[in-house]
Amino acid sequence: MKKITVVVPCYNEQDSLQCFYDSVKVVLDKLSEKINYEILFVNDGSKDLTQEKITEIVHRDEKVSLLSLSRCFGKESAMLAGFEYATGDAIIVMDVDLQDPPELIPLMIKKWENGIPVVCTRRKDRNHEPLLKSMFSILFYKLFNKMTSLNIPQGVRDFRLMDRKVILSILSLKERLRFSKGLFEWIGYEKVYLEFENRERKNGKSSWSFWKLFFYGIEAIVSFTVTPIRVATILGLGISFLSFLFLAYVIMDKFFNGNPVSGYPSLISITLFIGGVQLISMGLIGEYLGRVFYEVKARPHYIVSEVIKNEHLN
Ligand code: UDP
Ligand code: MG
């Protein structure tokens, strides 16, 4: 019998855990004649009672295991840890807040059994989401797809089923700064999308503030493409060309019309404008250099502090 591992990253989710476990368990138990399964909770250094709650479930249910990280390394690293410790022939990644509907799991597995290696999910709408977050999110994906050769559809979730060979491809990408949605797209493979209506978080609150998302967006773009630096180069070339024309004009004006070189306001605004462009370009180069700094240090993506009942170690 084939086995599925459900990987669940959790950060301060004490109120969501039981509800999540109950809903997913019902769905998976219904499939238990056809498929074996394991639920692998990854506790991403939670500061509340998440660890205790998961431990309770692990001791009650032999199909549940726990991987604890030594501090909060972020969802991307928690997912990666889950992939490395998962033992299934396929993996399903799920958020614990029930925004990813467990009812889709049977269909995902069916598609996988029919030979599709990646079964993704996509929100059809953005109801229940703050307007500003939706606007930035839509803009971000448009910009990201334009700047890279990838195509991440709007509303696509991390919630997806991936065959073991796909997971091995993901694990072969060793970069430290990980934008998983981009990496999932980058590795290729045939995929299908299942759609669902957006849901509100059941309990607790999202750990993503506006600024956290904003910097995550910059991170994503900088880790996938050098287009921003290219834009700075083109801007530099354009401005140099225009300045050259303006210089020629000033010289001609002086010689043919006898106009003295004047215009403090235009001078100061041009200087400030170019100063601004230079600072932005330097900042951009700094962003990329900073990435090199992190990659060169090659620290591990996460540190495991405890593993309970995981077959990976057997
Ligand atoms: N999460 C995590 N580490 C973090 C932040 C979040 O493991 O640093 C988990 C969180 O517990 C949840 C999932 O990632 O299971 C998605 O987080 P959240 O619901 O806060 O994100 P949103 O749905 O608002 O994008
Ligand atoms: Mg959520």
Side-chain angles (χ1 to χ4, degrees):
M1 211 160 27
K2 292 213 164 178
K3 181 174 169 189
I4 297 277
T5 301
V6 182
V7 170
V8 195
C10 309
Y11 176 64
N12 291 350
E13 299 283 7
Q14 59 179 22
D15 300 326
S16 308
L17 271 166
Q18 190 61 44
C19 209
F20 170 85
Y21 168 72
D22 293 340
S23 329
V24 171
K25 182 88 185 150
V26 169
V27 174
L28 290 173
D29 276 344
K30 274 195 198 142
L31 300 170
S32 62
E33 279 182 9
K34 284 197 310 181
I35 209 124
N36 195 358
Y37 73 88
E38 140 194 71
I39 302 175
L40 174 57
F41 287 105
V42 184
N43 177 16
D44 185 20
S46 301
K47 296 189 177 71
D48 61 358
L49 294 176
T50 300
Q51 174 82 9
E52 288 78 354
K53 297 246 168 186
I54 301 176
T55 312
E56 244 173 62
I57 300 175
V58 169
H59 290 313
R60 254 189 291 136
D61 185 341
E62 54 165 19
K63 288 186 182 300
V64 181
S65 43
L66 163 70
L67 187 62
S68 249
L69 306 187
S70 61
R71 66 167 171 85
C72 177
F73 285 87
K75 184 186 173 185
E76 303 287 346
S77 302
M79 275 198 292
L80 183 71
F83 295 163
E84 265 165 4
Y85 280 74
T87 52
D89 301 293
I91 288 180
I92 298 178
V93 195
M94 279 184 97
D95 287 1
V96 74
D97 53 12
L98 287 179
Q99 285 188 298
D100 300 330
E103 310 86 81
L104 284 183
I105 291 178
L107 186 56
M108 291 168 109
I109 293 178
K110 200 165 167 203
K111 299 254 176 209
W112 171 60
E113 286 175 333
N114 289 342
I116 296 169
V118 185
V119 187
C120 311
T121 62
R122 201 175 82 82
R123 302 184 286 180
K124 280 193 282 194
D125 56 80
R126 288 182 179 274
N127 299 340
H128 315 298
E129 194 181 66
L131 188 66
L132 198 67
K133 190 175 175 190
S134 296
M135 274 167 42
F136 271 98
S137 192
I138 290 170
L139 189 73
F140 166 75
Y141 283 111
K142 286 210 162 118
L143 205 67
F144 184 89
N145 291 341
K146 264 242 142 57
M147 285 187 177
T148 62
S149 53
L150 304 177
N151 182 24
I152 304 180
Q154 288 287 346
V156 76
R157 303 277 300 167
D158 286 332
F159 176 36
R160 62 185 65 209
L161 179 149
M162 289 175 278
D163 188 87
R164 174 143 289 277
K165 67 177 178 195
V166 179
I167 292 297
L168 291 178
S169 306
I170 290 285
L171 293 179
S172 72
L173 307 176
K174 298 291 180 202
E175 59 206 81
R176 259 114 264 282
L177 303 163
R178 302 178 79 87
F179 173 54
S180 292
K181 285 201 182 80
L183 298 179
F184 292 155
E185 204 56 44
W186 188 87
I187 54 167
Y189 290 107
E190 184 194 352
K191 47 174 83 71
V192 288
Y193 291 90
L194 306 181
E195 295 192 334
F196 67 94
E197 274 163 27
N198 193 29
R199 301 174 171 196
E200 245 174 321
R201 195 176 229 285
K202 264 253 154 64
N203 294 295
K205 64 178 182 18
S206 169
S207 41
W208 293 90
S209 66
F210 174 79
W211 287 111
K212 217 171 152 187
L213 275 176
F214 181 76
F215 289 117
Y216 181 65
I218 293 185
E219 187 79 62
I221 289 177
V222 172
S223 62
F224 267 87
T225 170
V226 290
T227 306
I229 292 199
R230 220 163 269 165
V231 170
T233 311
I234 290 167
L235 211 62
L237 283 173
I239 289 175
S240 307
F241 180 67
L242 290 178
S243 328
F244 181 74
L245 289 185
F246 188 63
L247 178 72
Y249 165 76
V250 170
I251 293 173
M252 304 276 226
D253 202 32
K254 164 90 177 144
F255 280 112
F256 294 116
N257 302 332
N259 275 348
V261 181
S262 66
Y264 175 75
S266 56
L267 208 63
I268 194 83
S269 38
I270 290 170
T271 311
L272 287 178
F273 173 69
I274 294 178
V277 171
Q278 276 178 335
L279 280 182
I280 293 173
S281 312
M282 271 167 57
L284 270 177
I285 297 168
E287 289 286 337
Y288 285 91
L289 197 63
R291 276 8 173 235
V292 176
F293 168 73
Y294 286 123
E295 297 294 339
V296 163
K297 279 196 294 187
R299 286 186 182 160
H301 295 90
Y302 56 85
I303 292 171
V304 175
S305 62
E306 189 184 1
V307 187
I308 308 186
K309 219 171 50 190
N310 187 274
E311 289 172 17
H312 179 79
L313 297 182
N314 294 342

